[in-house]
Every structure is written in structure tokens, then in C-alpha cells.
Amino acid sequence: MFNQPIPTITKNLLIINGLFFLATIVFGSRGIDLGNILGAFYPESVNFKGWQIVTHMFMHAPFPNISHILFNMFALWMFGSTVENTIGQKKFLILYFVAGLGSFVLFNFTNYLQVESLKEVVTASGVNVPELIKSLKVSTDGMYNVPTSGDVEKTKELMGYYVTPMVGASGAIYGLLVGFAVLYPNAKLALLFFPVPIAAKYFIPVMIAIEFYLAIQNYAWNPVAHFAHIGGAIIGFLLVRAWKKNLHTGY
């Protein structure tokens, strides 16, 4: 199943992600953080731009932290090739981008719930929250003035939502993972850290369950956007399940 040429869309997505990563290195060496331009900020942030809804899918943690892009590109090659060959180029492209959009929506919906709760706490601590939000233009040195507050930690936490961009193809990748499990539920999968082969119909749901657990345990902003992964997974399930009845797969 995996000993096949890389199909066109998957190959181009691999190339585009690689070029974006290379660009972050080149521009970063010149003091320009592309993550702050192309990563997706919280929509209420003054740093948010419409194009970020799409461009964040091609951004990854900057060099030398290459594990983020390596995992995503390995999964894109491994699962994307099979999914593309099965559902066709058009549907595959729709799946990739709609899953990425779904990850953005769910991630920011959960952020909204947390942000609105924090706003109440920070306002009660004596901070003018609307003025604070307006002042949070992303800083090149990562330093921000924390206003006088009765709850400094909650104020810092609230500020983090407005100055930290969402980056990565992970939401789209999780859409592909779930799509693969829907198409080939009995395919045996194994990872380096768990080398025992398990059917995709069990393996992928366990991965999603772990993501959900981690998302609940780390509800506040953290380096891994678990709810983004879940958002992409939901879209992958819904789309591929709807398309599968018109396909003839060897599952």
C-alpha cells in the first residue's frame, strides 16, 4: 500500500511545506519571523490577518526544532499518498484544506471559551481589557508590558492568546489519518514507540482519544494545539465517511 509513487497533490504539498520551512530559516536569519506573519493569531488579536487562516497550515516550529515538520511530512507521505490515490485529487485537496480549516475553527472556539473566562477575571483585577488587547501588537523580542493587575498570572495568560500564533499542518494531517482509517479500517499500523501492528480502526481512534485527553488536561494555551488536531480529525471522518459509499476500496 505504501510502496507506490507519491501522487501529484501529496508531492506538491510536501514541496510547499518544505519551501515554507526553508523560508522561515532564511527570513529568520535576517530577523524576520514568518510565524508572526503567516501563523494564525486569535481572530480578535490585532495581529490577525485573513490570509493566516490558510497560510498557518504550511508553517511549522522554526529550525532547529524540526520534529514538528518531520512528523507531519512523514504522515502526509505515508497516509496522504494512499488517501489521494483512493479518493482522487479533487477530493483529496478538499479534505486537506477543509480539515485544516476545521482545526482552526475548533481550536479558536475553545480558545474563545477560555479567553472570555479570563477576560472576566482580568477585568475584575483592575485591568482595562479592551485597551490591553489593542496594545498587544506582536513584539519581535517577545517582551510585553504587563499592566498593573491584581492577578498577574491570569493577565499574562490572557495576553498569551493574543500574541501566540497557531502554526502547523497537523489539523490537515489528522484529517488524513482519520480519512485513511475510514477507508482502510483493517490496515495494520505501527509506530516506532509502539511497534505492535494494530488495525487502523483501533489505532487511529486511540490516537484521537489521547489527543482529547491531553486537550482537556492542558486546556489553557500550551505549545501543542490538541483541539486543532481534533478539529481536523472530525472533518476527516465526516468527509471521507460521506464519500466512501461511492468508492471501491480494498478494505
Side-chain angles (χ1 to χ4, degrees):
M1 184 178 297
F2 301 123
N3 298 322
Q4 56 187 345
I6 303 176
T8 302
I9 302 300
T10 300
K11 182 188 298 183
N12 285 331
L13 287 173
L14 288 167
I15 292 171
I16 293 170
N17 275 280
L19 290 175
F20 269 70
F21 187 70
L22 179 61
T24 62
I25 297 174
V26 173
F27 280 85
S29 67
R30 290 164 171 74
I32 301 172
D33 187 350
L34 285 184
N36 290 335
I37 300 172
L38 303 178
F41 286 90
Y42 184 61
E44 192 184 18
S45 171
V46 295
N47 304 297
F48 175 75
K49 306 296 180 184
W51 64 73
Q52 296 171 356
I53 295 174
V54 174
T55 57
H56 85 274
M57 302 180 203
F58 299 100
M59 298 300 297
H60 289 85
F63 184 82
N65 182 11
I66 63 172
S67 60
H68 187 201
I69 188 170
L70 286 181
F71 173 81
N72 280 345
M73 295 306 99
F74 175 75
L76 174 57
W77 163 73
M78 185 175 183
F79 297 98
S81 296
T82 300
V83 173
E84 182 182 347
N85 283 331
T86 303
I87 66 177
Q89 294 183 0
K90 182 178 179 180
K91 284 187 172 66
F92 181 79
L93 202 56
I94 291 172
L95 171 62
Y96 189 89
F97 282 101
V98 176
L101 177 60
S103 72
F104 174 84
V105 171
L106 183 60
F107 179 65
N108 281 288
F109 173 71
T110 57
N111 281 350
Y112 170 80
L113 299 178
Q114 186 71 358
V115 165
E116 292 304 306
S117 175
L118 284 170
K119 282 181 180 180
E120 293 181 6
V121 174
V122 174
T123 297
S125 71
V127 176
N128 185 326
V129 170
E131 289 301 317
L132 174 62
I133 294 172
K134 291 179 183 178
S135 71
L136 292 175
K137 184 70 175 176
V138 69
S139 169
T140 54
D141 60 9
M143 302 296 291
Y144 302 92
N145 293 322
V146 181
T148 302
S149 170
D151 194 332
V152 174
E153 290 306 311
K154 291 297 183 184
T155 301
K156 288 182 178 179
E157 185 179 340
L158 177 63
M159 293 170 66
Y161 281 92
Y162 291 89
V163 297
T164 309
M166 168 191 184
V167 297
S170 301
I173 298 301
Y174 269 77
L176 299 182
L177 292 177
V178 172
F180 177 89
V182 172
L183 293 169
Y184 298 96
N186 295 317
K188 294 296 193 288
L189 302 176
L191 294 179
L192 292 177
F193 59 82
F194 193 81
V196 180
I198 301 177
K201 61 185 176 184
Y202 304 123
F203 192 95
I204 301 300
V206 168
M207 285 185 61
I208 302 304
I210 292 173
E211 285 292 333
F212 185 74
Y213 173 78
L214 294 174
I216 296 299
Q217 292 298 309
N218 300 280
Y219 191 64
W221 181 273
N222 65 90
V224 180
H226 297 291
F227 276 114
H229 299 169
I230 295 170
I234 291 172
I235 294 298
F237 176 79
L238 294 176
L239 283 180
V240 178
R241 187 169 182 268
W243 291 334
K244 183 179 177 180
K245 60 184 179 182
N246 297 318
L247 299 171
H248 300 284
T249 59
Y251 59 90

